[in-house]
Amino acid sequence: MKVILMMATTLDGKIAKTSHHFPSWTSPEDKKLFSRISKRSGVVLMGDKTFFTLKNPLKDRINVVFTLEKNLPSQKGVRWVTGDPGKVLADLKKEGFQTVVLGGGANLNSLFLKKKLINEIILTIEPKIFGQGISLFEGEFETDFEVDLELLKIEKLNQNSLAHYYKVNY
Ligand SMILES: NC(=O)c1ccc[n+]([C@@H]2O[C@H](COP(=O)([O-])OP(=O)(O)OC[C@H]3O[C@@H](n4cnc5c(N)ncnc54)[C@H](OP(=O)(O)O)[C@@H]3O)[C@@H](O)[C@H]2O)c1
């Protein structure tokens, strides 16, 4: 199972100002890239804080949402999951999925990186500075990492936005 982390950051490495900040500040080209790659994989994994910033579940993909909340209402296209991400990935693999997209946020990114489950990172740097906010990896899980990356390619998405493709070498 290949896990691709796809995120957009500001120049100062922030993915949002707060946990409730809807990522509407990213470029249309980055949104298209996310849509294309995640639809091809068929699955987006995310934390519930990220999911609750969306107006609706992401279309034409399974939204696998990590949450500790119980009794959340069932919704078309949404799977509420909890616990070990390795087990969630193993179940998706049994269903025939080969690649999944991890779509944030910072908490879930850290959990997956800590468990060495992220194989590739596609990071778009948008031409913005927030100063304060949430970093790519942070939160309740241990975030003292030293992970080596290999740059695979850089893609210019528009005049101002660059997508960086990295392989993760644990
Ligand atoms: N710029 C971008 O590309 C981008 C992409 C995605 C998200 N974001 C932003 O990131 C922010 C949210 O990030 P965040 O770090 O605050 O939250 P998050 O990672 O989206 O969600 C964290 C929550 O996920 C649940 N969770 C995590 N691990 C779990 C596990 N193993 N089992 C069950 N539940 C688990 C917990 O939910 P509970 O304890 O709440 O139940 C935890 O509080 C939003 O502002 C969003 O817009 C930005």
Side-chain angles (χ1 to χ4, degrees):
M1 172 67 80
K2 180 175 174 184
V3 177
I4 307 174
L5 171 64
M6 288 195 77
M7 300 295 287
T9 68
T10 60
L11 192 69
D12 54 339
K14 306 297 180 199
I15 63 164
K17 290 190 177 181
T18 67
S19 284
H20 313 288
H21 187 191
F22 177 63
S24 52
W25 54 273
T26 61
S27 61
E29 292 79 9
D30 175 68
K31 291 189 179 72
K32 269 188 212 146
L33 180 70
F34 181 83
S35 175
R36 179 162 55 80
I37 294 180
S38 61
K39 280 183 181 162
R40 193 164 64 201
S41 87
V43 178
V44 179
L45 306 156
M46 65 192 111
D48 64 358
K49 293 199 170 62
T50 293
F51 180 76
F52 293 131
T53 65
L54 308 174
K55 284 195 196 90
N56 294 299
L58 301 169
K59 275 191 273 173
D60 305 324
R61 287 146 284 184
I62 303 175
N63 295 230
V64 176
V65 183
F66 283 76
T67 184
L68 296 173
E69 296 272 328
K70 294 192 172 86
N71 305 319
L72 284 164
S74 62
Q75 276 189 71
K76 192 168 174 275
V78 178
R79 273 188 210 174
W80 306 113
V81 296
T82 194
D84 179 10
K87 162 95 177 52
V88 171
L89 292 175
D91 289 345
L92 289 164
K93 194 174 173 192
K94 272 189 219 148
E95 286 181 58
F97 292 103
Q98 315 245 317
T99 301
V100 296
V101 167
L102 173 60
N107 260 278
L108 212 63
N109 297 348
S110 301
L111 175 66
F112 274 68
L113 192 65
K114 187 180 163 200
K115 292 187 173 282
K116 303 186 174 173
L117 293 171
I118 300 174
N119 307 107
E120 201 177 306
I121 298 176
I122 304 177
L123 180 77
T124 298
I125 299 184
E126 297 285 9
K128 280 193 183 291
I129 296 171
F130 286 166
Q132 293 187 341
I134 303 176
S135 303
L136 205 48
F137 298 96
E138 68 173 60
E140 56 202 82
F141 304 105
E142 192 200 319
T143 51
D144 184 6
F145 301 117
E146 186 155 344
V147 176
D148 292 320
L149 306 175
E150 190 181 324
L151 184 63
L152 301 175
K153 68 169 175 172
I154 299 177
E155 192 181 345
K156 194 163 186 210
L157 300 181
N158 61 34
Q159 194 55 34
N160 295 302
S161 311
L162 287 180
H164 302 71
Y165 292 66
Y166 293 99
K167 180 171 173 285
V168 183
N169 292 325
Y170 292 107

